[in-house]
Amino acid sequence: MSELFGGQHVGPFTFYYSWIGTFLFVVVSIVVAKIYGKHHNLKDVEKFADLILMSVMIWIIIWKGSGMLPVAKDLFVAPVKVLFAAPASGADKAAVIAVILYTVLTVKRVKPVLAEWLDLCAVSITAGLIPFFLLHLELGQQIGWPWGILITGRRYTPVNFYEVFILLCSLVMSLYGAKAIHGLRGSYLLALVGVGSLFVSLFSESLTLWILLSPTQWGLLATGGFGLWGMKRFTTLT
Amino acid sequence: MRYTTVGGIDLELARTRKILLVMLMLIVVTAIVINQHPKTLAQLPEAGYRAPNFILHTLSGHPIELSQLKGKPVLINFFASWCPPCQAEAPDLVQMYDRYHTQVVFLGVDMTESDSRSAVQAFMKKVGIHYPIVLDSLGKVAKQYDVISIPMSFFVNAQGVIVARVAGAMNRNSLASELSHLLSSQNLNAPGQ
């Protein structure tokens, strides 16, 4: 599985497996959102799918464009320099902020039934993250177990495969275990993913700590907490 | 989840929620305890890990070992003389070397497996590269660093930890921002070293 570290060459271009995983994330998320929306007669499913597509486009444009913009004047003089320009430092963070802003504005404009979009979002994104993590090698702490990924003579925890297992279990548990009440399934899934992925994070490596936890752990804690808060509302409403 | 409603409260859902809440709290406490322990960083070609060590020779046969450069931030640039994006990037690298050579060690790694010594020499002369270039004749270091596309650059801080891995040709702006990020991360501790 250490081959996942690399990618495929097509002519002068190199496609990293992690990029293929990201592409599959988008495709699977949209397909699952449409199937789930149709099956449960949800409104605004197309607008939700458009939101995912547009978010990806915005992310790519800002991420890649950040490196091309400073040398844009060379487009006709040295096109290779412009086309192959590496993204600017911090471009990914700027792209994420732009996507968040776009999402907030879209939600304000479309005014969807939030409980429906919560289910759609949780189910489709979780489903999309399964192929994403399958192709996105993430190594954790060194281990001696035979399932560790062997790289440069040492075995490392295959954190991404642990993540796939957790996501798959959470998705199945929420689809077959939670009542089909708008908002409940999404909340339950977020709680499961938050708890499960936070557990997986114990096997990963992170030097950056923000007040005792890593940034990822804070994010997962917030996800789990949000899911549990959502579930609380349904304990009395059902 | 089964649904047993008593007094308007879904007991099963409430129980499931309580179990998940307890699990979440236990995992958070475990994470906090684990995060306090010093970690031994692995040698991997990714940001946040220790840069894998290597010994390669310059065109004149002088050996350069990465671990010997510890204590100084290093920019490792994988390239080949025939690669158009590398050719586009090289003048900016030279310019940045002139500006930063007192603070950062610049090291070019030529993918000699797909290149030739004479082509590298001609390329260095043409662009005016005067920072050290080492030859990866067998492609071992490129494999060790998972270099499947060029140019690819690694910014390694004074503690030997990779701060950034950049795929693609950098320009003056991106180089300057990555280099200042590298210099500002010099105080980053690399536990377990």
Side-chain angles (χ1 to χ4, degrees):
Chain A
M1 282 299 174
S2 60
E3 292 82 16
L4 282 179
F5 235 4
Q8 284 292 328
H9 295 282
V10 180
F13 301 101
T14 306
F15 295 95
Y16 283 83
Y17 289 120
S18 55
W19 292 1
I20 300 169
T22 307
F23 173 74
L24 286 176
F25 161 73
V26 177
V27 173
V28 171
S29 297
I30 290 174
V31 170
V32 169
K34 287 192 174 183
I35 294 171
Y36 185 83
K38 195 177 172 186
H39 195 255
H40 291 87
N41 293 319
L42 302 184
K43 285 180 242 168
D44 300 321
V45 178
E46 289 300 323
K47 284 175 184 161
F48 179 78
D50 288 347
L51 172 65
I52 294 181
L53 262 181
M54 277 303 292
S55 299
V56 173
M57 299 273 274
I58 290 170
W59 196 93
I60 291 172
I61 289 168
I62 292 185
W63 179 73
K64 187 66 187 160
S66 66
M68 295 165 81
L69 211 59
V71 281
K73 62 179 186 328
D74 297 333
L75 188 61
F76 298 106
V77 189
V80 170
K81 188 174 183 174
V82 182
L83 289 172
F84 289 87
S89 169
D92 49 351
K93 290 183 189 79
V96 168
I97 291 169
V99 166
I100 291 170
L101 279 174
Y102 176 74
T103 306
V104 170
L105 288 174
T106 307
V107 170
K108 273 191 165 183
R109 183 171 47 83
V110 175
K111 292 188 178 65
V113 180
L114 286 177
E116 286 188 7
W117 270 35
L118 176 66
D119 289 351
L120 259 184
C121 187
V123 171
S124 62
I125 301 288
T126 305
L129 282 174
I130 292 169
F132 174 85
F133 279 114
L134 267 178
L135 289 166
H136 204 111
L137 186 63
E138 194 189 330
L139 300 171
Q141 294 152 5
Q142 277 186 41
I143 50 165
W145 299 105
W147 63 81
I149 304 277
L150 192 64
I151 288 186
T152 57
R154 292 187 177 93
R155 287 191 185 278
Y156 297 94
T157 314
V159 175
N160 59 316
F161 295 123
Y162 289 10
E163 196 69 57
V164 168
F165 178 74
I166 290 292
L167 293 173
L168 203 58
C169 291
S170 304
L171 194 61
V172 171
M173 281 170 76
S174 70
L175 287 177
Y176 296 100
K179 218 174 190 176
I181 298 167
H182 295 322
L184 172 59
R185 180 167 285 157
S187 302
Y188 183 43
L189 182 51
L190 286 181
L192 286 172
V193 169
V195 172
S197 297
L198 196 61
F199 176 69
V200 170
S201 78
L202 300 179
F203 300 94
S204 63
E205 293 265 25
S206 180
L207 269 186
T208 316
L209 291 183
W210 290 350
I211 320 170
L212 304 172
L213 295 176
S214 73
T216 311
Q217 286 171 335
W218 276 115
L220 291 168
L221 180 61
T223 306
F226 182 75
L228 289 170
W229 171 76
M231 281 174 76
K232 191 182 179 185
R233 296 183 70 236
F234 291 100
T235 52
T236 47
L237 290 177
T238 53
Chain B
M1 272 188 281
R2 284 183 294 118
Y3 296 89
T4 317
T5 310
V6 175
I9 294 174
D10 188 331
L11 292 178
E12 286 301 319
L13 186 62
R15 199 169 70 95
T16 308
R17 189 182 161 273
K18 201 174 271 179
I19 291 169
L20 285 171
L21 185 64
V22 171
M23 283 171 74
L24 189 72
M25 282 157 65
L26 282 175
I27 296 168
V28 168
V29 171
T30 313
I32 290 171
V33 172
I34 289 175
N35 288 345
Q36 301 317 304
H37 288 279
K39 287 175 181 166
T40 307
L41 274 185
Q43 281 195 7
L44 286 172
E46 294 286 337
Y49 291 93
R50 275 190 297 149
N53 190 32
F54 61 80
I55 306 175
L56 287 174
H57 292 81
T58 60
L59 282 162
S60 57
H62 175 69
I64 291 183
E65 185 173 3
L66 184 68
S67 62
Q68 284 183 348
L69 302 173
K70 220 171 183 179
K72 286 179 184 172
V74 184
L75 161 56
I76 308 169
N77 177 253
F78 285 86
F79 76 102
S81 64
W82 50 262
C83 144
C86 308
Q87 291 163 359
E89 182 188 51
D92 290 337
L93 270 170
V94 171
Q95 204 173 12
M96 286 298 126
Y97 173 72
D98 292 338
R99 198 200 289 183
Y100 286 95
H101 72 277
T102 52
Q103 298 157 280
V104 179
V105 175
F106 281 58
L107 190 62
V109 180
D110 176 64
M111 314 275 278
T112 321
E113 205 184 11
S114 62
D115 212 342
S116 69
R117 292 174 78 99
S118 55
V120 181
Q121 268 170 331
F123 180 64
M124 285 177 73
K125 200 175 173 187
K126 186 184 166 192
V127 183
I129 296 173
H130 36 280
Y131 54 84
I133 298 285
V134 289
L135 308 173
D136 187 17
S137 314
L138 302 171
K140 272 186 178 175
V141 176
K143 199 171 178 191
Q144 200 180 1
Y145 273 76
D146 185 37
V147 176
I148 59 160
S149 66
I150 45 176
M152 188 172 283
S153 304
F154 293 84
F155 294 81
V156 184
N157 72 9
Q159 286 78 34
V161 178
I162 298 173
V163 173
R165 170 193 169 116
V166 181
M170 288 182 289
N171 52 56
R172 261 167 293 167
N173 292 317
S174 50
L175 266 167
S177 80
E178 291 292 354
L179 285 167
S180 45
H181 175 51
L182 173 66
L183 290 170
S184 66
S185 72
Q186 274 199 76
N187 298 325
L188 192 91
N189 274 331
Q193 289 187 89

Coordinates of all heavy atoms in Angstrom, one line a residue, chain A residues 22-34 44-60 99 102-103 106 117 120-126 128:
Chain A
T22 N -9.3 12.7 -4.1 CA -10.0 13.9 -3.9 C -11.1 14.0 -5.0 O -12.3 14.4 -4.7 CB -9.1 15.2 -4.0 OG1 -8.1 15.0 -3.1 CG2 -9.9 16.4 -3.7
F23 N -10.8 13.6 -6.2 CA -11.7 13.6 -7.3 C -12.9 12.6 -7.0 O -14.1 13.0 -7.2 CB -11.0 13.2 -8.6 CG -11.9 13.0 -9.8 CD1 -12.5 14.1 -10.4 CD2 -12.2 11.7 -10.3 CE1 -13.4 13.9 -11.5 CE2 -13.1 11.5 -11.3 CZ -13.7 12.6 -12.0
L24 N -12.5 11.5 -6.5 CA -13.6 10.5 -6.2 C -14.4 11.0 -5.0 O -15.6 10.7 -5.0 CB -12.9 9.1 -5.8 CG -12.4 8.3 -7.0 CD1 -11.7 7.1 -6.5 CD2 -13.5 8.0 -7.9
F25 N -13.8 11.7 -4.1 CA -14.6 12.3 -3.0 C -15.7 13.2 -3.5 O -16.9 13.1 -3.1 CB -13.6 13.1 -2.1 CG -14.3 14.1 -1.2 CD1 -15.0 13.7 -0.1 CD2 -14.3 15.5 -1.5 CE1 -15.7 14.6 0.7 CE2 -14.9 16.4 -0.7 CZ -15.6 16.0 0.4
V26 N -15.4 14.0 -4.5 CA -16.4 14.9 -5.1 C -17.5 14.1 -5.8 O -18.7 14.3 -5.5 CB -15.7 15.9 -6.1 CG1 -16.8 16.8 -6.7 CG2 -14.7 16.8 -5.4
V27 N -17.1 13.2 -6.6 CA -18.0 12.4 -7.4 C -19.0 11.6 -6.5 O -20.2 11.6 -6.6 CB -17.3 11.4 -8.4 CG1 -18.2 10.5 -9.1 CG2 -16.5 12.2 -9.4
V28 N -18.3 10.9 -5.5 CA -19.2 10.0 -4.6 C -20.1 10.9 -3.8 O -21.3 10.5 -3.6 CB -18.2 9.1 -3.8 CG1 -19.0 8.4 -2.7 CG2 -17.5 8.1 -4.7
S29 N -19.6 12.0 -3.3 CA -20.4 12.9 -2.5 C -21.7 13.3 -3.2 O -22.8 13.3 -2.7 CB -19.7 14.1 -2.0 OG -18.6 13.8 -1.2
I30 N -21.5 13.7 -4.5 CA -22.6 14.2 -5.3 C -23.6 13.1 -5.6 O -24.8 13.3 -5.5 CB -22.1 14.9 -6.6 CG1 -21.4 16.2 -6.2 CG2 -23.2 15.2 -7.6 CD1 -20.7 17.0 -7.3
V31 N -23.0 12.0 -6.0 CA -23.9 10.8 -6.4 C -24.7 10.4 -5.2 O -25.9 10.2 -5.3 CB -23.0 9.7 -7.0 CG1 -23.9 8.4 -7.1 CG2 -22.5 10.1 -8.3
V32 N -24.0 10.2 -4.0 CA -24.7 9.8 -2.8 C -25.8 10.8 -2.4 O -26.9 10.5 -2.0 CB -23.7 9.5 -1.7 CG1 -24.4 9.3 -0.3 CG2 -22.9 8.3 -2.0
A33 N -25.4 12.1 -2.5 CA -26.4 13.1 -2.1 C -27.7 13.0 -3.0 O -28.8 13.1 -2.5 CB -25.8 14.5 -2.3
K34 N -27.5 12.8 -4.3 CA -28.6 12.7 -5.2 C -29.5 11.5 -4.9 O -30.7 11.5 -4.9 CB -28.1 12.7 -6.7 CG -27.6 14.1 -7.1 CD -27.4 14.2 -8.6 CE -27.1 15.6 -9.0 NZ -26.9 15.8 -10.4
D44 N -34.3 20.7 -2.8 CA -33.0 21.4 -3.0 C -31.8 20.5 -3.1 O -30.7 20.9 -2.8 CB -32.8 22.5 -2.0 CG -33.9 23.5 -1.9 OD1 -34.4 23.9 -3.0 OD2 -34.3 23.9 -0.8
V45 N -32.0 19.3 -3.5 CA -30.9 18.4 -3.6 C -29.9 18.8 -4.7 O -28.7 18.8 -4.6 CB -31.3 16.9 -3.9 CG1 -30.1 16.0 -4.1 CG2 -32.2 16.4 -2.8
E46 N -30.5 19.3 -5.8 CA -29.7 19.8 -7.0 C -28.8 21.0 -6.5 O -27.7 21.1 -6.9 CB -30.6 20.2 -8.2 CG -31.2 19.0 -8.9 CD -30.2 18.0 -9.5 OE1 -29.1 18.5 -9.9 OE2 -30.4 16.8 -9.4
K47 N -29.5 21.9 -5.7 CA -28.7 23.1 -5.2 C -27.6 22.6 -4.3 O -26.5 23.3 -4.3 CB -29.7 24.0 -4.5 CG -30.5 24.8 -5.5 CD -31.5 25.6 -4.8 CE -32.4 26.3 -5.9 NZ -33.7 26.8 -5.4
F48 N -27.8 21.6 -3.6 CA -26.8 21.1 -2.7 C -25.6 20.5 -3.5 O -24.4 20.8 -3.2 CB -27.3 20.0 -1.7 CG -26.3 19.4 -0.8 CD1 -25.9 20.1 0.3 CD2 -25.7 18.2 -1.1 CE1 -25.0 19.6 1.2 CE2 -24.8 17.6 -0.2 CZ -24.4 18.3 0.9
A49 N -26.0 19.7 -4.6 CA -24.9 19.2 -5.4 C -24.1 20.3 -6.1 O -22.9 20.2 -6.2 CB -25.6 18.3 -6.5
D50 N -24.9 21.4 -6.5 CA -24.2 22.5 -7.1 C -23.2 23.2 -6.1 O -22.1 23.6 -6.5 CB -25.2 23.6 -7.6 CG -26.0 23.1 -8.8 OD1 -25.5 22.1 -9.4 OD2 -27.0 23.7 -9.2
L51 N -23.7 23.2 -4.9 CA -22.8 23.9 -3.8 C -21.5 23.1 -3.7 O -20.4 23.7 -3.6 CB -23.6 23.9 -2.5 CG -22.8 24.3 -1.3 CD1 -22.4 25.7 -1.4 CD2 -23.6 24.1 0.0
I52 N -21.6 21.7 -3.7 CA -20.4 20.9 -3.6 C -19.5 21.2 -4.8 O -18.3 21.5 -4.7 CB -20.7 19.4 -3.6 CG1 -21.5 19.1 -2.3 CG2 -19.4 18.6 -3.6 CD1 -21.8 17.6 -2.1
L53 N -20.1 21.2 -6.0 CA -19.3 21.4 -7.2 C -18.6 22.8 -7.3 O -17.4 22.9 -7.6 CB -20.1 21.3 -8.5 CG -20.1 19.9 -9.2 CD1 -21.0 19.9 -10.4 CD2 -18.7 19.6 -9.6
M54 N -19.4 23.8 -6.9 CA -18.9 25.2 -7.0 C -17.8 25.4 -5.9 O -16.8 26.0 -6.1 CB -20.0 26.2 -6.7 CG -20.8 26.6 -7.9 SD -19.8 27.2 -9.3 CE -19.3 28.8 -8.6
S55 N -18.0 24.7 -4.7 CA -17.0 24.8 -3.7 C -15.6 24.3 -4.1 O -14.6 24.8 -3.9 CB -17.4 24.1 -2.4 OG -18.6 24.6 -1.9
V56 N -15.7 23.1 -4.8 CA -14.5 22.5 -5.3 C -13.8 23.4 -6.4 O -12.6 23.6 -6.3 CB -14.8 21.1 -5.9 CG1 -13.6 20.5 -6.6 CG2 -15.3 20.2 -4.9
M57 N -14.6 24.0 -7.3 CA -14.1 24.9 -8.3 C -13.4 26.1 -7.6 O -12.3 26.4 -8.0 CB -15.2 25.4 -9.2 CG -16.0 24.3 -9.9 SD -15.2 23.9 -11.5 CE -15.9 25.1 -12.5
I58 N -14.1 26.7 -6.6 CA -13.5 27.8 -6.0 C -12.2 27.4 -5.3 O -11.2 28.2 -5.4 CB -14.5 28.4 -4.9 CG1 -15.7 29.1 -5.7 CG2 -13.8 29.4 -4.0 CD1 -16.8 29.4 -4.8
W59 N -12.2 26.3 -4.7 CA -11.0 25.8 -3.9 C -9.8 25.7 -4.9 O -8.7 26.2 -4.7 CB -11.3 24.5 -3.3 CG -10.2 24.1 -2.2 CD1 -10.3 24.4 -0.9 CD2 -9.0 23.5 -2.4 NE1 -9.2 24.0 -0.2 CE2 -8.3 23.4 -1.2 CE3 -8.3 23.0 -3.5 CZ2 -7.1 22.9 -1.0 CZ3 -7.1 22.4 -3.3 CH2 -6.5 22.4 -2.1
I60 N -10.1 25.0 -6.1 CA -9.0 24.8 -7.0 C -8.5 26.1 -7.6 O -7.3 26.3 -7.7 CB -9.5 23.9 -8.2 CG1 -9.7 22.5 -7.6 CG2 -8.5 23.8 -9.3 CD1 -10.4 21.5 -8.6
V99 N -14.2 29.0 0.5 CA -15.3 28.0 0.4 C -16.3 28.2 1.5 O -17.5 28.1 1.3 CB -14.7 26.6 0.4 CG1 -15.8 25.5 0.6 CG2 -14.0 26.3 -1.0
Y102 N -18.5 31.1 0.7 CA -19.4 30.8 -0.4 C -20.6 29.9 0.2 O -21.7 30.1 -0.2 CB -18.7 30.1 -1.5 CG -19.6 29.6 -2.6 CD1 -20.1 30.6 -3.5 CD2 -20.0 28.3 -2.7 CE1 -21.0 30.2 -4.5 CE2 -20.9 27.9 -3.7 CZ -21.4 28.9 -4.6 OH -22.3 28.5 -5.6
T103 N -20.2 29.0 1.0 CA -21.2 28.1 1.6 C -22.2 28.9 2.4 O -23.5 28.7 2.3 CB -20.6 27.0 2.5 OG1 -19.6 26.3 1.7 CG2 -21.6 26.0 3.0
T106 N -24.4 30.9 0.1 CA -25.4 30.0 -0.6 C -26.5 29.6 0.3 O -27.7 29.6 -0.1 CB -24.7 28.8 -1.2 OG1 -23.6 29.2 -1.9 CG2 -25.6 27.9 -2.0
W117 N -30.7 19.5 4.9 CA -29.3 19.6 4.4 C -28.3 19.1 5.4 O -27.2 18.7 5.0 CB -29.0 21.1 4.1 CG -29.4 21.5 2.7 CD1 -30.4 21.0 2.0 CD2 -28.7 22.4 1.9 NE1 -30.4 21.5 0.7 CE2 -29.4 22.4 0.6 CE3 -27.6 23.2 2.0 CZ2 -29.0 23.2 -0.5 CZ3 -27.2 24.0 0.9 CH2 -27.9 24.0 -0.3
L120 N -28.2 15.5 4.4 CA -27.6 15.4 3.1 C -26.1 15.5 3.2 O -25.3 14.7 2.7 CB -28.1 16.5 2.2 CG -29.2 16.1 1.1 CD1 -29.5 17.4 0.3 CD2 -28.8 15.0 0.2
C121 N -25.7 16.6 3.9 CA -24.3 16.9 4.1 C -23.6 15.8 4.8 O -22.5 15.3 4.3 CB -24.2 18.2 4.8 SG -22.6 18.9 4.9
A122 N -24.1 15.4 5.9 CA -23.4 14.4 6.7 C -23.3 13.0 6.0 O -22.2 12.5 5.9 CB -24.2 14.1 8.1
V123 N -24.4 12.6 5.3 CA -24.3 11.3 4.7 C -23.4 11.4 3.4 O -22.6 10.5 3.2 CB -25.8 10.9 4.2 CG1 -25.8 9.6 3.3 CG2 -26.6 10.6 5.5
S124 N -23.6 12.4 2.6 CA -22.8 12.4 1.3 C -21.3 12.7 1.6 O -20.5 12.1 1.0 CB -23.4 13.5 0.4 OG -23.3 14.8 1.0
I125 N -21.0 13.6 2.5 CA -19.6 13.9 2.8 C -18.9 12.7 3.4 O -17.8 12.3 3.0 CB -19.4 15.1 3.7 CG1 -20.1 16.4 3.0 CG2 -18.0 15.4 4.0 CD1 -19.4 17.0 1.9
T126 N -19.6 12.0 4.3 CA -19.0 10.8 4.9 C -18.8 9.7 3.9 O -17.7 9.1 3.8 CB -20.0 10.2 6.0 OG1 -20.2 11.3 7.0 CG2 -19.3 9.1 6.8
G128 N -18.3 10.2 0.7 CA -17.2 10.7 -0.2 C -15.9 10.6 0.4 O -14.9 10.3 -0.2

